[in-house]
Amino acid sequence: MSTQDLVPSPVGPVDVEKAEAALVERYPRLVRIAYLVLPPTMGRNRRVLTAHALVQRALPRRRVPGPAVPEPRRPEDAVDPGYAYVRGEVLRQALVAGLPLRRLAVPRRAQLPPLLPQVWGLRLFPRAGGADKLALDQLLSRLSGPARAAYVLRGLERQGDAEVLRVLAAAGAPDPESALAELAALEDEEPDLPAPAPAAPTAPAPRGGERPERVAEQAGPGRAPAAPASSAVPGPPPAPAAPSAGPRLSGASLLESAEFDPCTLQARPGDLLRRRQHGRAALVGVVALLVCGALLGLPGDGWGRNGAAAPSYARNPAAEAALDPAKVKRVAAAVWPGAVRRDFSVWPARGELAGDAPLLRRALAVWARPGGAVESSATPGTPVGPPMGPPQLLFAGRVDAARVVLFHDGLRIVRYAEPVEGSAGAALDFARTDGAEGPEAAAVVVTRAAGNVRYLTAPWVTGTSVRDLLMPGKEPWTLGRDARGVTDAVPSPALAKECARWNTLQVADGSGGRLLGDLGELLPARLLWGPPDRPVDATGREARESWSRTACRLTTVLGQGVRSVRSWRFARQTLPEGAGRAAWVCTRAETWRGTGTRVLAQFLPPDRKAPAALAARAQDAPACGVREPRVLAGALWQAPGGGWYVLAAGGPDVASVEVKGGVAARAEGPVLAAKAAAGARAELTATLKDGRRMPALR
């Protein structure tokens, strides 16, 4: 089996809380895994401390994103996603720690002695075992790092060969198959190794009442389609793979014994004479550090001149001018009413701290040289380099518990934030804005805190309100703004864990209402409705009703640099057996960088309260866009009477639709409904009115 043939486990997004719960609950087991995978040549004391350090560093700093649309789940995937993620991080760091240090290469963090935990004056090691433990320890010393990891996964985690290959590949092992081959070769050489234990073929099955997830929703009677049929209508699930032959090298009982438990330790003193010498040297070093600190006059009461910026790396007149707060461009408030364009270039400088030169100096310095303590982020495709010249100041003021500065340099919006109290926690965010005009330059995110978001609105915005996309019949409620143009806090769907509501910002600019959605970036995305050649803002009744059933799909494009999202009903279809009239909707998310566009074809069942079901999806496809407005999608659907049908629909330019394979049918016009068996597989194609053939969206 090749690792290229293996489908990675569809582990969804993992929250920090879930990962922490898994780490705390299974901490002894994770430390045991790290201890066994680390090379025995490190010595028992260092292996113990390194194992604890690797597990403690496995906790993610923020939410770990998963695949946009999860792949089908297998029985072995019924493992806690938090534990699967933490275990993978532990294995990855343990494999890195076992790599040899090279003279000219920069050592990686896992290859260095751990900073924490540290135990001074004592040496810690697990309890000594018997001859079996010694034999197993010698066996592990003869294996490579990936082979040790495979041995532990098979013997301790009870995993089959297929899942071992997946976990090793995800952990960054260079050649997982060689690791299993190394185990097989070693067993052939040593026939008297510990007796094998029966291997569990996969992870435990899902808990009672749960079913393995599929690629698309399985529709019940009269509900949404059972599975996507963009290019192929799904058939019966493939026969389950035969379970792995199981590890012939095991020693599972020894792996779970106290001899390999780095959480149950013995303590002995280290070298007492060397400790005394090191203590004297440390005392001399502390005295020297105090003297140097007094001579240099280290600041200790707040931000320095350049704040959290790194040391200067160049001296250049143009670069120095870009970092001079006195040369920052400020647009007067009377400029925008007479300007030809309405974009960020005519935004006036606002905020009570617009004249705070030290704050602006720190913001510009951190922008040019962000230090290691600065939390920096950028939307995909956004350059993060220093300003090319003096930027334009949009805002500088105190919002919530932070001082916020917003700059614009013609290509990017740059947000700098620092806490009002203390001198730690500076943040720097970048977002592309090239070509932004009108509604696309109507608002910028100022702060995110406690699940809420605040916007700074353009000077031409006359009113702001909040509209919940999931409640199309409810009128928007007014959102207050202060004199600087900063709105009140509103719950953000980008920070929510569940799709219970989807708040959007509706702005009025004198020419109509504009709908903007927060997708986790500095600039909210514009929400549109209609065909590709004539979209309008999604404020009408028909647009709101459609968006109320498709809004939750916006989670698939969070943080992707989305400029606008347009939804379009490209077909209506009368369902068989008198089930009613359904609709097909195409949703296209355009990005600021041009690439990375995502297209979703969704099926809306007759029940207006039922959410849309995903029928097809594509990445970087021209379908449903200005260049290629046509689209074809299909799905397998179960009627209220229990019968199964292949449903397909295309745009207005489709002359006929044909399905081949498990179902053979042809229909004139843009829609098709053909009787099928449950789980049938088929290929969809369409013939356009000009005679060209068009495949289904994939």
Side-chain angles (χ1 to χ4, degrees):
M1 180 184 297
S2 172
T3 54
Q4 297 179 354
D5 300 331
L6 295 174
V7 179
S9 298
V11 177
V14 178
D15 294 326
V16 178
E17 294 82 4
K18 293 183 180 179
E20 181 186 20
L23 190 149
V24 173
E25 180 181 357
R26 306 185 185 180
Y27 183 86
R29 188 174 189 85
L30 292 169
V31 177
R32 185 189 294 266
I33 292 175
Y35 181 83
L36 290 167
V37 176
L38 288 172
T41 55
M42 296 177 63
R44 291 187 296 172
N45 182 74
R46 183 176 172 185
R47 282 174 69 191
V48 167
L49 297 181
T50 302
H52 283 271
L54 296 184
V55 174
Q56 294 174 16
R57 288 204 301 260
L59 186 66
R61 295 182 178 273
R62 55 181 63 88
R63 188 173 187 261
V64 179
V69 179
E71 297 293 338
R73 294 177 64 90
R74 297 172 299 277
E76 62 267 27
D77 293 326
V79 64
D80 178 26
Y83 175 71
Y85 171 81
V86 175
R87 183 185 62 187
E89 284 297 300
V90 170
L91 288 175
R92 181 182 62 81
Q93 296 185 72
L95 292 176
V96 172
L99 297 177
L101 290 173
R102 302 185 182 277
R103 179 175 300 178
L104 300 180
V106 178
R108 301 171 68 174
R109 183 181 182 186
Q111 295 176 283
L112 300 175
L115 297 178
L116 290 175
Q118 287 289 347
V119 179
W120 289 11
L122 293 175
R123 297 185 62 83
L124 304 177
F125 47 89
R127 290 184 293 181
D132 290 340
K133 181 265 178 184
L134 181 59
L136 183 56
D137 209 13
Q138 292 175 350
L139 167 66
L140 294 176
S141 65
R142 296 171 57 185
L143 296 175
S144 63
R148 285 194 300 272
Y151 187 94
V152 172
L153 290 174
R154 292 168 64 177
L156 190 61
E157 293 290 282
R158 306 296 201 278
Q159 292 183 344
D161 290 350
E163 186 61 12
V164 168
L165 289 175
R166 292 189 187 94
V167 175
L168 290 181
D175 191 354
E177 292 177 329
S178 297
L180 293 180
E182 184 179 351
L183 289 182
L186 185 60
E187 181 190 20
D188 294 338
E189 296 175 4
E190 298 289 344
D192 56 345
L193 289 172
T202 56
R207 293 174 295 204
E210 298 181 358
R211 299 180 301 172
E213 297 179 1
R214 297 187 179 181
V215 175
E217 295 89 346
Q218 184 75 15
R223 293 177 56 194
S230 57
S231 61
V233 179
S244 166
R248 292 189 295 169
L249 297 172
S250 175
S253 59
L254 288 178
L255 292 176
E256 296 177 348
S257 63
E259 289 81 359
F260 294 96
D261 183 9
C263 292
T264 304
L265 304 170
Q266 292 179 332
R268 293 293 185 274
D271 192 331
L272 301 180
L273 292 178
R274 182 176 297 178
R275 183 199 306 176
R276 183 177 300 173
Q277 296 172 356
H278 288 177
R280 294 173 181 173
L283 179 61
V284 173
V286 170
V287 173
L289 180 62
L290 293 176
V291 173
C292 293
L295 294 177
L296 295 177
L298 295 176
D301 55 350
W303 296 101
R305 175 179 174 84
N306 292 332
S312 178
Y313 55 86
R315 289 292 182 183
N316 180 277
E320 291 182 354
L323 303 182
D324 188 354
K327 297 183 179 180
V328 170
K329 299 177 183 178
R330 291 175 169 84
V331 177
V335 171
W336 73 266
V340 176
R341 297 184 303 172
R342 288 190 172 183
D343 55 15
F344 290 110
S345 65
V346 297
W347 274 37
R350 288 174 288 179
E352 70 278 11
L353 301 180
D356 190 339
L359 173 63
L360 299 182
R361 184 185 302 278
R362 292 194 299 271
L364 292 170
V366 172
W367 178 0
R369 308 182 309 276
V374 177
E375 294 186 5
S376 182
S377 68
T379 57
T382 305
V384 295
M388 296 175 289
Q392 175 189 351
L393 177 64
L394 303 182
F395 177 84
R398 177 172 176 173
V399 183
D400 295 331
R403 288 185 286 263
V404 180
V405 182
L406 291 175
F407 292 113
H408 179 243
D409 66 351
L411 174 66
R412 302 166 292 180
I413 288 287
V414 180
R415 174 184 175 272
Y416 169 81
E418 65 181 32
V420 174
E421 302 293 337
S423 58
L428 189 67
D429 303 301
F430 296 85
R432 287 186 64 166
T433 60
D434 44 320
E437 188 173 0
E440 295 175 343
V444 177
V445 172
V446 180
T447 61
R448 299 180 190 275
N452 298 324
V453 62
R454 294 180 186 267
Y455 299 94
L456 175 67
T457 56
W460 56 82
V461 171
T462 58
T464 55
S465 57
V466 179
R467 180 181 290 277
D468 187 354
L469 287 183
L470 303 185
M471 302 180 66
K474 183 179 180 180
E475 292 297 323
W477 62 92
T478 303
L479 182 64
R481 291 186 299 166
D482 60 20
R484 305 169 300 173
V486 178
T487 67
D488 295 340
V490 58
S492 170
L495 303 176
K497 296 182 180 180
E498 298 180 355
C499 187
R501 57 182 176 180
W502 199 279
N503 293 329
T504 58
L505 176 66
Q506 184 167 317
V507 299
D509 56 7
S511 61
R514 316 294 185 182
L515 205 60
L516 306 175
D518 179 23
L519 299 182
E521 304 168 11
L522 286 180
L523 265 65
R526 188 181 181 187
L527 303 183
L528 301 171
W529 170 260
D533 57 342
R534 53 182 186 277
V536 297
D537 289 278
T539 55
R541 178 178 179 180
E542 183 182 15
R544 298 198 309 269
E545 290 180 353
S546 178
W547 270 107
S548 67
R549 305 171 69 180
T550 61
C552 291
R553 295 289 180 186
L554 290 175
T555 56
T556 63
V557 294
L558 292 178
Q560 299 300 313
V562 175
R563 183 173 190 163
S564 64
V565 184
R566 179 182 47 79
S567 189
W568 172 42
R569 189 192 66 239
F570 63 89
R572 287 186 180 274
Q573 183 176 21
T574 301
L575 299 178
E577 300 185 13
R581 192 167 174 81
W584 294 82
V585 173
C586 182
T587 303
R588 183 179 178 89
E590 302 280 359
T591 65
W592 288 94
R593 63 191 182 278
T595 60
T597 301
R598 297 194 179 185
V599 182
L600 303 177
Q602 302 179 72
F603 176 85
L604 275 64
D607 185 2
R608 294 180 179 273
K609 296 183 180 180
L614 182 63
R617 62 184 181 274
Q619 180 86 11
D620 285 323
C624 202
V626 176
R627 185 161 61 91
E628 180 54 74
R630 305 171 183 85
V631 62
L632 173 67
L636 192 65
W637 176 79
Q638 187 179 18
W644 288 90
Y645 294 85
V646 172
L647 303 180
D653 293 342
V654 174
S656 63
V657 180
E658 185 177 5
V659 57
K660 296 181 180 180
V663 179
R666 176 184 174 87
E668 298 296 328
V671 297
L672 175 146
K675 188 72 175 180
R681 297 184 64 86
E683 294 288 337
L684 296 175
T685 57
T687 302
L688 302 178
K689 293 181 179 180
D690 58 6
R692 291 182 299 162
R693 303 283 290 180
M694 181 179 67
L697 184 68
R698 60 177 72 237

